[in-house]
Amino acid sequence: MNILGLVLFALILGVALKKLGPEGEELIRFFSAFNEATMVIVSWIMWYVPIGIMFLVGSKIVEMGNIVLLVTSLGKYIIASILGHIIHGGIVLPLIYFAFTRKNPFTFLLGLITPFATAFATSSSSATLPTMIKCIEENNGVDKRISRFILPIGATVNMDGAAIFQCMAAVFIAQMNNSELNAGQIFTILVTATASSVGAAGIPAGGVLTIAIILEAIGLPTNDLSLILAVDWIVDRTTTVVNVEGDALGAGILHHLNQKEVAKNQQELNDVYVEAVPNCKSEEETSPLVMHRDQTSKPTSMAVPESKESVL
Ligand code: ASP
């Protein structure tokens, strides 16, 4: 599960293949075809996702036996974590998306219902990745170059949901041990939770083990982690949804910024004015992007600086 290593290797291989030129194209075509085939398989799988989700969640509930006892003893931790995920995923992340794009974040999120359901059912960012890539490209029109670069990295390192539940877990364990946390310890929890969420793997319960880093940092026993692990199958569902939502909104923001930049460059190219006497021959020879203007009709207060180039 060395996902980060795989991502890094893929990036370096991509650069190397591009450097090979025509010789590398065969392998690039092979990977592209392989990727397209995977996408087709994912679209077939998506047809039975609702039934699969029902059985995945149902089997867990049946497995637990005395679920009421577990939920009441750890209830507050579970509710606080899920509430944190709802606030972050339902308010904070959409607001960040809105601040950058001025577009409705919920319209964007609506196109990603299937990957969110997959994340909820599998509790794995890595397992959700193919569905997420497919939906974000097809439903939200995000550029393939952005989605296929950002989402695999995001599924590995960007885990907002994990950072939230890890902070909750650390505070919960501190309270269980009757340990009063001071401001310095709370700050340590925030910093180490951010770092340990990056280290967590995108698999079920991937973030539980790295809570040990936080507990060690604030001097709490790590053996209470088993309690967190016992209820992680509940909390991990919303954790994973928020983890993948953060990646998707990040890709959406980048796509928007990229589109804005492309539009700006287009505008700059359109605004090239050439001081020239138009004649048929020169018009044929110069770039189609260069506009020939009649100098007599030129406005006196032109804001755009003009090129002094003359076309013969
Ligand atoms: N299950 C989470 C994910 O795959 C990781 C975690 O346990 O925090 O994103």
Side-chain angles (χ1 to χ4, degrees), residues 15-73:
V15 173
L17 287 178
K18 199 83 192 141
K19 243 187 140 35
L20 275 183
E23 276 176 59
E25 271 169 23
E26 301 254 313
L27 200 56
I28 295 175
R29 263 203 299 278
F30 167 80
F31 282 127
S32 298
F34 190 73
N35 190 47
E36 292 307 322
T38 311
M39 288 300 162
V40 172
I41 296 172
V42 169
S43 68
W44 292 338
I45 292 172
M46 270 153 69
W47 280 103
Y48 69 79
V49 157
I51 301 167
I53 291 172
M54 196 176 77
F55 283 108
L56 272 173
V57 179
S59 68
K60 277 288 172 193
I61 292 172
V62 173
E63 238 173 57
M64 283 315 293
N66 198 347
I67 188 165
V68 181
L69 182 73
L70 190 77
V71 169
T72 44
S73 58

Side-chain angles (χ1 to χ4, degrees), residues 1-307:
M1 289 308 294
N2 184 6
I3 308 272
L4 206 56
L6 282 174
V7 170
L8 190 70
F9 174 74
L11 284 177
I12 293 170
L13 184 68
V15 173
L17 287 178
K18 199 83 192 141
K19 243 187 140 35
L20 275 183
E23 276 176 59
E25 271 169 23
E26 301 254 313
L27 200 56
I28 295 175
R29 263 203 299 278
F30 167 80
F31 282 127
S32 298
F34 190 73
N35 190 47
E36 292 307 322
T38 311
M39 288 300 162
V40 172
I41 296 172
V42 169
S43 68
W44 292 338
I45 292 172
M46 270 153 69
W47 280 103
Y48 69 79
V49 157
I51 301 167
I53 291 172
M54 196 176 77
F55 283 108
L56 272 173
V57 179
S59 68
K60 277 288 172 193
I61 292 172
V62 173
E63 238 173 57
M64 283 315 293
N66 198 347
I67 188 165
V68 181
L69 182 73
L70 190 77
V71 169
T72 44
S73 58
L74 287 164
K76 281 184 189 160
Y77 158 71
I78 297 171
I79 291 170
S81 298
I82 293 177
L83 203 66
H85 290 149
I86 291 172
I87 293 171
H88 191 70
I91 301 171
V92 180
L93 286 178
L95 271 181
I96 294 173
Y97 179 84
F98 178 75
F100 276 97
T101 64
R102 303 279 149 191
K103 287 183 197 163
N104 186 347
F106 296 103
T107 318
F108 185 87
L109 295 176
L110 211 64
L112 304 174
I113 291 289
T114 313
F116 291 153
T118 312
F120 188 84
T122 61
S123 299
S124 166
S125 305
S126 301
T128 311
L129 190 57
T131 327
M132 179 58 92
I133 292 179
K134 188 173 167 59
C135 288
I136 208 167
E137 286 171 6
E138 290 182 4
N139 301 347
N140 295 345
V142 169
D143 193 324
K144 283 182 180 181
R145 288 166 301 176
I146 292 175
S147 60
R148 290 171 195 206
F149 180 66
I150 292 297
L151 293 177
I153 295 178
T156 318
V157 296
N158 178 35
M159 303 220 175
D160 310 34
I164 292 170
F165 100 86
Q166 287 178 337
C167 290
M168 299 285 182
V171 173
F172 171 73
I173 291 173
Q175 286 175 350
M176 277 212 339
N177 288 284
N178 295 320
S179 158
E180 278 281 319
L181 294 171
N182 57 34
Q185 280 174 315
I186 291 173
F187 184 73
T188 310
I189 291 178
L190 293 179
V191 174
T192 46
T194 308
S196 72
S197 69
V198 170
I203 53 168
V208 177
L209 292 182
T210 53
I211 298 176
I213 303 173
I214 309 171
L215 297 179
E216 300 249 325
I218 53 172
L220 285 173
T222 50
N223 52 356
D224 288 336
L225 269 184
S226 55
L227 270 180
I228 302 296
L229 197 60
V231 289
D232 197 57
W233 68 273
I234 306 174
V235 178
D236 204 12
R237 294 178 194 280
T238 50
T239 301
T240 313
V241 173
V242 176
N243 285 348
V244 298
E245 185 191 342
D247 305 338
L249 290 177
I253 291 173
L254 210 63
H255 174 72
H256 173 81
L257 296 178
N258 182 48
Q259 268 188 330
K260 231 169 81 176
E261 198 60 32
V262 168
K264 211 175 94 191
N265 289 343
Q266 203 77 41
Q267 181 66 25
E268 276 169 13
L269 281 174
N270 284 340
D271 286 353
V272 173
Y273 297 109
V274 177
E275 222 178 68
V277 181
N279 66 52
C280 302
K281 195 165 174 287
S282 71
E283 276 196 35
E284 273 169 17
E285 283 168 3
T286 51
S287 157
L289 292 169
V290 175
M291 308 260 292
H292 288 273
R293 295 167 60 92
D294 184 357
Q295 277 190 302
T296 50
S297 66
K298 189 178 71 181
T300 44
S301 60
M302 182 90 75
V304 183
E306 291 183 14
S307 159

